[in-house]
Amino acid sequence: MDSGARLILKSLQELGVDKIFMVSGTDYAAFIEEKVRDPSLPDFIIVPHEITATAAAIGYSLSGKIGVVAVHTIPGTTNALGMIINAFTSRIPLIVIAGRSPYTESGSPASRNLRIHWTQEARDQGEIVRQWVKYDFEIRRVEQIPEVIARAYQIAFSEPKGPVYIVIPREVSIERSEYRKVRVSSFEPGVKREDLVKAKKMIEESERPIIISWRGGRRKEWFNSLKAFADKVGIPVLNYVGEVVNYSGEMGLDRIDLSTVDLAIVVEAEVPYIPKKTKFDGKIIKVDVDPSYSYIPFYGFPCDLCIQSSVSEFFDQLDVKEKKEWKEKVKELKLQQEKKKEEEIEQLRKRKSIHPRYLSYVIGKVIGKDDVILNEYPFNPRYAKLDFGQYFADPSFGHLGWALGASFGISLTNRKVIATVGDGAFIFGVPEAFYYAVSTHGGNIIVIIYDNGGWLASAEAVEEVFPEGLAKAKKYFPGADFKRYNIGETVKVFGGYYRLIEDINELEETVREAYEFKGISVLQVIVDRVR
C-alpha cells in the first residue's frame, strides 16, 4: 500500500515525468518524505518563486518534455496564475499540482497545526483558476489518484493542449491505497472530407492567397506540413515567425498589403490582423483545433470556412495546383524585403545609440543552430535566420515574467538559451529566483535586457489614444518611465557574468563574449525607445 503522495509521484513517473518544479509548503510533507524514501521518483527542482517555477515548467513542456509544477495552496496558486493563463492561451501543456489546507482540525497527523491552515482555506479553490485551465479537480479520496492523474495528463496533452490543475489535501497525501496503472491516450480533431473539397476550390479560385499563422509551427509535423504546402503551391506566409517559427523559406514575407489579398488561410492564429488598423475584405479559411477560440468572450473575426483540425491533418490531405505567377511575385517581394533590411542595418550600424532592431540583428548573428531564443517583447525575429523550435515569443495572454523561468526549463534539456527581455519584463521575472535555480540545478543561459527606460507599450498606448496629446509632444510618460539602475548586476552574486552596454562599437564583441560564458550571463543594453 502506498501513500497518496507516492501514488501521485509514481503515476506521474509512469507517464514520463522526470522533473517537478516545486515551491513547497506545509502541504508537501508527505511528498518530501516519499522522495527521501525513494530517490528514483521524479526530481524536485526547487525554484523559489511560483512565477519562475511555473514558467520553468512551461519551458520544459516547450522543449518536448512534460512540464509539472507543484505550488503551495492558494498563495502559490495566485502567484502562479499569470503563468497558468499564459499556458492556456498559448496551448502549452502544463500539469499544476496544488496543496490544499488540511480539512480536519484534529484526528490525523496531517490535521491543521498552523494559523494559516484556517485562513488559507477557500470555499472553492479550483474556482481561482477555472477560467484558464482545461480541467481542475480536488482529490477527495486516495483511491481516486491513479484515475485523476491519468485524466489530467490526457486532457493536458489533447488538442487544444493546455494546463490542468490538481488539488490534494494534506490528509489525502498521507492516506494509503494500492497503485494502479490507468490506460489513456491523447486525441485531436480531424478535417472533414467535404471541408477539404471546399478549401481546395476556394484556394484554386483565388489569385492572391496568403497564409497567416501565429503558432502553426508549435509541433514539428505541423511546421513541416505547412512549409511543404506553401512551397509547393507558392503561397506566402505572414508571421513566418510569430509566437513560434511557423515557416522558413522563400515564401516567408515580413509584410503585405492585406487589402490586395483575396483569400487568407488563417492557421492557429486567434488575431490574424488588427481591424482598427487593417482593412481586409477577402475570404477566410480558418484551420485550428478550436477555430472559434471559445474562451474569448467577444470575437468578431469572420470565417467563411472554419475547419477544426490539426495543421498537418489539413495540409497533408490538400492537393492544390501550383500558382506559378503568384509564387514568382512572392519570391520577388521576399528579395526586396531582405534587401531593405540589409540597407536598414547598414544605416543603424552608423548610429551612436543602439537601435533595438540592430541589437536583434547582432543576436541573430551569434545564435547557433541548436540554440533557442525566448523573447519577451523586444527581440525582432525578422533580423535572424531561425528554424523550427528555435524561438518562442510572448504567450498570447502576455503576462510578463515568463521568459527567465522558461529559459531555465529549456536549458535543463542541455540547450543553450538566449532570453531577450525588456527592463520591465526582466524585473517581473523574479531574477533572484531565476539565478538561484540556474546556479543550483545548472543551465547555460544568456539574458539580454533591452533597456529602454520603462514600459514602452504603455507609452505607445498614450500616443495611440492621444496622438495630439501633451505627453507625446513632451516625450514624458509618468507611470511608464523608469529611473535607470544596473538591474542585471545582481547576477554577479551568483557567479554570473554582467555587462552594461551603451556604446554601439562594443556591442557585437560583448554579445559574443557573453554568449561564450558558461552558466548565466546578463547583458543590460541601453537601447532607443522604439521598436
Side-chain angles (χ1 to χ4, degrees):
M1 301 286 277
D2 293 326
S3 72
R6 180 172 173 79
L7 287 174
I8 288 176
L9 295 173
K10 195 172 178 180
S11 297
L12 289 170
Q13 187 175 48
E14 284 292 324
L15 290 167
V17 173
D18 60 357
K19 290 178 174 57
I20 298 175
F21 299 90
M22 178 176 282
V23 186
S24 69
T26 58
D27 38 352
Y28 286 100
F31 288 81
I32 293 170
E33 175 67 16
E34 292 294 352
K35 178 62 177 174
V36 174
R37 288 174 180 268
D38 184 358
S40 72
L41 291 169
D43 292 332
F44 293 173
I45 307 297
I46 302 300
V47 184
H49 197 285
E50 291 84 0
I51 284 178
T52 319
T54 312
I58 287 173
Y60 209 54
S61 282
L62 290 175
S63 70
K65 301 286 189 175
I66 303 173
V68 181
V69 63
V71 300
H72 171 56
T73 66
I74 293 173
T77 298
T78 52
N79 268 353
L81 183 57
M83 297 301 108
I84 293 171
I85 303 175
N86 277 347
F88 180 76
T89 57
S90 289
R91 298 172 172 176
I92 301 168
L94 175 69
I95 298 174
V96 183
I97 298 172
R100 180 201 187 277
S101 283
Y103 52 72
T104 58
E105 294 185 345
S106 62
S108 168
S111 295
R112 297 176 180 180
N113 64 297
L114 295 173
R115 181 179 295 272
I116 59 169
H117 290 158
W118 280 266
T119 57
Q120 286 184 0
E121 184 178 28
R123 297 182 183 92
D124 182 355
Q125 186 169 323
E127 185 180 24
I128 297 169
V129 301
R130 192 160 295 141
Q131 290 190 70
W132 301 288
V133 295
K134 294 184 66 184
Y135 170 69
D136 74 279
F137 188 80
E138 180 180 321
I139 299 172
R140 300 173 183 88
R141 295 181 60 88
V142 67
E143 295 87 357
Q144 296 175 312
I145 287 173
E147 285 81 7
V148 170
I149 297 301
R151 180 165 171 76
Y153 171 84
Q154 179 187 50
I155 293 173
F157 281 84
S158 295
E159 292 289 358
K161 298 179 182 181
V164 295
Y165 182 75
I166 304 302
V167 177
I168 180 165
R170 193 162 71 171
E171 289 90 343
V172 177
S173 73
I174 69 168
E175 292 173 359
R176 308 191 81 80
S177 183
E178 292 184 358
Y179 173 76
R180 299 186 312 281
K181 188 170 183 178
V182 179
R183 301 188 306 274
V184 294
S185 65
S186 60
F187 52 88
E188 59 189 47
V191 63
K192 295 187 296 184
R193 175 59 52 184
E194 55 265 38
D195 285 343
L196 281 172
V197 174
K198 291 176 185 176
K200 174 182 170 70
K201 185 173 186 293
M202 290 173 68
I203 296 169
E204 289 187 339
E205 289 179 349
S206 67
E207 295 182 0
R208 296 171 63 90
I210 60 166
I211 295 171
I212 301 176
S213 189
W214 193 242
R215 65 181 69 83
R218 62 185 170 92
R219 289 166 51 175
K220 178 68 171 176
E221 68 270 26
W222 291 10
F223 173 88
N224 289 339
S225 181
L226 192 155
K227 176 174 171 54
F229 179 80
D231 288 344
K232 174 189 172 186
V233 182
I235 299 181
V237 180
L238 282 187
N239 302 326
Y240 57 92
V241 184
E243 188 174 283
V244 297
V245 181
N246 299 305
Y247 171 85
S248 61
E250 294 179 306
M251 294 292 108
L253 293 182
D254 293 335
R255 67 192 66 84
I256 193 171
D257 183 356
L258 286 182
S259 67
T260 67
V261 170
D262 57 3
L263 173 67
I265 306 170
V266 178
V267 181
E268 286 272 318
E270 62 272 82
V271 182
Y273 56 90
I274 307 297
K276 179 180 179 180
K277 298 180 178 181
T278 302
K279 179 178 174 58
F280 180 66
D281 295 324
K283 292 182 179 180
I284 292 179
I285 299 172
K286 290 190 75 172
V287 181
D288 204 295
V289 291
D290 178 13
S292 70
Y293 285 88
S294 52
Y295 77 88
I296 301 176
F298 179 74
Y299 192 79
F301 289 100
C303 181
D304 298 282
L305 178 59
C306 288
I307 297 175
Q308 187 176 19
S309 169
S310 73
V311 175
S312 54
E313 174 78 6
F314 173 73
F315 283 119
D316 286 351
Q317 298 185 65
L318 192 60
D319 184 18
V320 176
K321 296 176 183 176
E322 183 182 26
K323 293 183 174 292
K324 293 183 180 179
E325 186 177 338
W326 182 222
K327 189 175 189 177
E328 292 306 313
K329 177 64 176 176
V330 171
K331 288 181 180 179
E332 183 181 328
L333 286 171
K334 174 73 171 179
L335 290 173
Q336 291 173 1
Q337 291 178 1
E338 291 299 315
K339 183 179 179 182
K340 187 174 181 180
K341 282 188 289 190
E342 290 173 4
E343 293 171 349
E344 179 191 26
I345 289 300
E346 286 306 309
Q347 292 302 314
L348 295 178
R349 196 194 308 270
K350 298 173 185 177
R351 295 163 59 101
K352 291 184 178 180
S353 60
I354 301 172
H355 195 287
R357 291 201 288 272
Y358 185 72
L359 176 55
S360 299
Y361 163 77
V362 171
I363 295 170
K365 288 181 66 178
V366 170
I367 184 173
K369 65 181 179 64
D370 296 321
D371 300 342
V372 182
I373 292 179
L374 295 182
N375 178 31
E376 195 157 11
Y377 273 149
F379 174 81
N380 191 323
R382 294 172 179 171
Y383 295 83
K385 300 296 183 184
L386 300 167
D387 212 330
F388 172 79
Q390 280 198 286
Y391 177 84
F392 299 98
D394 210 32
S396 283
F397 183 68
H399 191 289
L400 295 180
W402 69 276
L404 295 186
S407 68
F408 166 61
I410 290 180
S411 74
L412 291 178
T413 63
N414 297 316
R415 298 185 74 179
K416 176 82 173 183
V417 186
I418 302 174
T420 56
V421 297
D423 43 335
F426 175 77
I427 295 169
F428 273 113
V430 197
E432 280 71 26
F434 163 70
Y435 297 152
Y436 173 88
V438 179
S439 299
T440 303
H441 302 288
N444 193 6
I445 303 166
I446 172 173
V447 179
I448 301 180
I449 305 170
Y450 284 62
D451 188 347
N452 56 23
W455 288 315
L456 178 57
S458 299
E460 289 174 334
V462 177
E463 295 181 340
E464 172 79 18
V465 178
F466 300 100
E468 306 299 327
L470 193 58
K472 180 178 180 180
K474 290 189 171 185
K475 293 296 179 184
Y476 173 51
F477 304 96
D481 293 337
F482 287 179
K483 185 176 180 181
R484 180 164 283 132
Y485 297 96
N486 290 2
I487 56 175
E489 195 164 14
T490 53
V491 72
K492 291 159 80 171
V493 176
F494 295 84
Y497 170 104
Y498 170 77
R499 283 286 301 274
L500 176 72
I501 307 173
E502 298 183 78
D503 187 345
I504 195 170
N505 296 313
E506 299 176 358
L507 182 62
E508 186 166 343
E509 180 182 350
T510 309
V511 169
R512 291 188 181 279
E513 183 178 295
Y515 180 85
E516 295 300 327
F517 186 85
K518 303 300 181 184
I520 317 171
S521 56
V522 178
L523 295 184
Q524 184 175 350
V525 185
I526 309 304
V527 297
D528 299 336
R529 203 170 191 184
V530 295
R531 292 201 186 274

